[in-house]
Amino acid sequence: MRRDEHELLSRTGPGTPMGNLLRRYWIPALLSRELEADGAPVRVRLLSENLIGFRDSNGRVGLLGEHCSHRGASLYYGKNMNGGLSCWYHGWKYDVDGKCLDQPNEPPQTRFCDRIQQKAYPCVDRNGVIWTYMGPPDKKPDFPEFEWNLVPESHVYASKRYQDCHWTQGMEGDLDSSHLNFLHGTETINASPSHGKYESGKWMADDPNPKIEVVQVPGGILHSARRDADPANHYWRIGEWMLPCFTTIPGFPGDAPFGGHAWVPSDDDKTWCFAFSWHPVRPLKDTELKNMLTGWGMHSLLTPGTFTAAHNKSNGYAPADYPPVKQPWQRIKIFQDQDTAITESMGARFDRTRESLGSTDGLIMHTRRRLMATARALEEGKDPPTDKRNYRMRPLSCLLPRDTPDWAKAVADTIDARPETYQLSV
Ligand code: FES
Ligand SMILES: [Fe+2]
């Protein structure tokens, strides 16, 4: 990668080409459970902007610029009551749209209040996640129809976790089927509670060199990794990368919930990783929820009261009381901890001019190219694809006969996220 490409891909602050692209999409900002009506305001940094989330007396969610329009006091200390957030310093009061409702320290006849607009981004609260749109108001797209946004709330579990590195470093782990064999390995795969009765762990272990194929689709890239399974079949792991920061993860064959990620830049060195588990046609089972809450599958065990993983850099990504081992990697036993450890180990923002990409990195190259091309096109005035229907895609982990002529055609109906297309995959 050239130096200028590395810079283009890396920077997401206001006014940068990649920042402008990300701002044309709805992105997760907070979990719904972080905000209660008339409860404490919450600080959140997104795309290098410091923001304050709050839920007003009527349950409406607001996401305001952190610093008060008067003289910049932080609204984190604001009083959230009576239908708005009042700055603690001189009482200027804002509603969820950033409209100034009251200026108790100004004479009312000046109507100065009417000329004040606090920075505010629109929010949608859906299935446990608060989404926001930080771009130009006249370009706001329809809310994206991810399957996890469409099914009943009982079919979805969402969590978030802080990650100490650039958003693409985390995201590219989802786009790299080859690491399953090495970073996770058969032992971790077979220990995963969602691994069903099929031999997918063995199929992955026996074929460390999956054949990667990609298909460009309107909202992103459909991708597959093909491995040998048995004399009659290949094992296919099929997923999607969707503009700009969304992935779906093929799980294991069977009836397990599907998984997806949103890799939201906090800034250019830190990331909010939102994880979604959902089932298209049934509520999540208690056993599945229990596994999710204890750090299996897509989700991490968190340090209580925080969104930092309990197993993190400071403790070697493992429980503090883990018995002594000879080498650091031997302590890290849980799927998600392994992914976090290895992507954070690259450093906050690895210099991509120093990489050496090989054949199994093809999907990563395709997504980077697509991101950069879409950001450059936007600079030239071409709107990015934001159709809400682009997001109606689900992942798949399945066997297909070896003589299947076109995998993408063979699975087109099954990955089209509508309840009637759901089928148990084998
Ligand atoms: S700084 Fe907020 S009201 Fe004065
Ligand atoms: Fe992984």
Side-chain angles (χ1 to χ4, degrees):
M1 191 170 242
R2 298 193 315 257
R3 172 71 48 201
D4 61 310
E5 293 173 324
H6 172 67
E7 287 299 311
L8 171 63
L9 195 61
S10 298
R11 306 287 176 191
T12 60
T16 60
M18 199 56 68
N20 290 341
L21 179 65
L22 282 152
R23 283 170 174 77
R24 297 295 285 273
Y25 293 88
W26 286 94
I27 52 172
L30 293 164
L31 296 175
S32 309
R33 52 186 180 269
E34 290 183 75
L35 301 179
E36 68 178 278
D38 284 346
V42 168
R43 282 191 171 114
V44 58
R45 184 168 163 81
L46 296 175
L47 309 181
S48 303
E49 294 184 43
N50 292 334
L51 305 169
I52 298 292
F54 72 106
R55 196 185 290 275
D56 74 9
S57 318
N58 303 314
R60 296 199 306 157
V61 172
L63 194 59
L64 304 182
E66 173 165 7
H67 299 287
C68 174
S69 291
H70 179 215
R71 278 177 31 222
S74 173
L75 294 175
Y76 176 71
Y77 297 105
K79 297 178 180 176
N80 181 19
M81 54 184 71
N82 304 324
L85 188 62
S86 301
C87 179
W88 194 24
Y89 209 1
H90 314 93
W92 289 22
K93 179 174 181 176
Y94 304 101
D95 72 5
V96 292
D97 300 318
K99 191 164 156 268
C100 187
L101 301 174
D102 194 15
Q103 275 174 334
N105 66 334
E106 287 289 320
Q109 63 274 20
T110 65
R111 301 301 308 162
F112 183 33
C113 202
D114 298 345
R115 303 203 301 276
I116 300 298
Q117 172 65 46
Q118 178 71 11
K119 180 201 275 186
Y121 294 126
C123 295
V124 169
D125 192 351
R126 180 71 57 85
N127 284 353
V129 175
I130 293 162
W131 296 67
T132 192
Y133 171 77
M134 295 169 64
D138 59 324
K139 297 288 187 182
K140 188 174 77 178
D142 290 337
F143 192 62
E145 293 190 340
F146 290 102
E147 192 168 38
W148 64 65
N149 283 340
L150 298 176
V151 295
E153 189 160 6
S154 58
H155 298 205
V156 186
Y157 177 72
S159 68
K160 78 168 187 183
R161 167 176 64 78
Y162 170 79
Q163 184 148 334
D164 209 2
C165 67
H166 194 260
W167 62 285
T168 55
Q169 278 168 225
M171 183 172 81
E172 288 173 357
D174 291 346
L175 306 172
D176 164 19
S177 200
S178 148
H179 83 264
L180 278 164
N181 293 63
F182 305 97
L183 179 68
H184 303 303
T186 328
E187 192 193 337
T188 315
I189 291 169
N190 289 335
S192 172
S194 58
H195 191 263
K197 60 183 177 173
Y198 301 100
E199 290 187 295
S200 46
K202 179 176 165 340
W203 301 329
M204 283 189 268
D206 289 352
D207 189 350
N209 178 226
K211 311 298 171 293
I212 312 289
E213 285 189 46
V214 307
V215 178
Q216 301 281 343
V217 292
I221 294 177
L222 171 67
H223 55 87
S224 67
R226 190 193 80 200
R227 290 175 168 87
D228 291 329
D230 57 46
N233 296 294
H234 284 128
Y235 173 49
W236 291 83
R237 294 176 58 77
I238 294 165
E240 292 94 17
W241 167 77
M242 291 176 265
L243 276 160
C245 60
F246 302 99
T247 56
T248 60
I249 320 287
F252 301 117
D255 184 42
F258 294 124
H261 276 141
W263 296 95
V264 182
S266 175
D267 54 33
D268 296 338
D269 296 324
K270 301 177 198 70
T271 301
W272 291 112
C273 174
F274 285 80
F276 299 84
S277 293
W278 80 99
H279 200 289
V281 297
R282 64 162 171 83
L284 300 180
K285 297 174 186 164
D286 287 345
T287 46
E288 291 166 344
L289 281 167
K290 188 171 155 260
N291 289 333
M292 291 167 197
L293 287 165
T294 50
W296 282 98
M298 308 287 302
H299 308 275
S300 292
L301 184 68
L302 298 174
T303 307
T306 76
F307 293 101
T308 304
H311 306 155
N312 56 51
K313 197 173 178 178
S314 72
N315 52 31
Y317 300 93
D321 59 356
Y322 198 85
V325 288
K326 272 193 160 166
Q327 300 182 30
W329 66 272
Q330 292 169 317
R331 290 164 54 83
I332 310 173
K333 294 292 185 197
I334 296 179
F335 240 97
Q336 194 60 62
D337 295 339
Q338 294 167 342
D339 287 308
T340 309
I342 213 67
T343 49
E344 288 186 349
S345 78
M346 298 166 180
R349 196 174 346 117
F350 187 70
D351 178 356
R352 292 201 177 82
T353 64
R354 292 169 49 206
E355 290 175 330
S356 317
L357 301 183
S359 63
T360 55
D361 302 309
L363 175 57
I364 289 171
M365 292 188 248
H366 278 284
T367 52
R368 289 180 186 176
R369 274 191 216 122
R370 183 81 180 267
L371 269 173
M372 290 190 292
T374 314
R376 286 194 190 107
L378 177 58
E379 292 300 285
E380 287 157 14
K382 187 170 182 297
D383 288 335
T386 54
D387 191 319
K388 63 182 179 180
R389 285 163 306 194
N390 290 346
Y391 295 92
R392 282 181 168 253
M393 299 178 89
R394 63 166 82 106
L396 182 65
S397 163
C398 67
L399 293 178
L400 289 176
R402 281 177 183 251
D403 57 4
T404 303
D406 181 339
W407 65 272
K409 239 186 215 155
V411 303
D413 201 41
T414 321
I415 61 171
D416 180 359
R418 291 174 287 127
E420 59 274 24
T421 58
Y422 176 69
Q423 57 188 54
L424 282 189
S425 63
V426 176

